[in-house]
Amino acid sequence: MRVLVASLGFSYHHVMAVANRCRPEKIVLATVNPEVDRVKNAVDEVALYGKALGIAVEVEKLDPSDFWQCVGEAARLFAGDDESTWAGA
């Protein structure tokens, strides 16, 4: 399964641009503030994009209060047998 793992703040255009190029089956959005309105709006936009193209969209919250735990959680997103593509912001 081709998975696009992307960092997400409130700008989502980079996610769609990379998704258009790599054609993932799933998009995983890594963010530290999914409760903030601007981030919610960005997630909603990516979710609408995913729904239109039949791409699953997931949100993974990262906790920046513990740097090494945050790094470990981000690294976990890349672990496994899936073919992943990174789109950093």
Side-chain angles (χ1 to χ4, degrees):
M1 172 185 285
R2 183 172 281 226
V3 179
L4 169 62
V5 179
S7 61
L8 184 70
F10 55 85
S11 177
Y12 56 88
H13 297 96
H14 67 285
V15 177
M16 294 178 185
V18 173
N20 284 333
R21 288 191 302 270
C22 72
R23 310 270 182 197
E25 296 168 53
K26 179 167 77 171
I27 297 173
V28 178
L29 303 171
T31 185
V32 296
N33 291 318
E35 312 83 23
V36 174
D37 286 338
R38 291 176 73 186
V39 177
K40 284 181 190 177
N41 291 338
V43 169
D44 290 346
E45 290 294 328
V46 175
L48 284 172
Y49 170 84
K51 184 176 180 179
L53 297 176
I55 300 170
V57 177
E58 296 178 8
V59 177
E60 291 285 336
K61 181 178 180 180
L62 301 178
D63 181 5
S65 65
D66 181 340
F67 176 76
W68 291 113
Q69 179 181 347
C70 186
V71 169
E73 290 172 2
R76 180 186 56 79
L77 294 175
F78 293 102
D81 298 329
D82 294 338
E83 180 183 344
S84 297
T85 302
W86 171 256

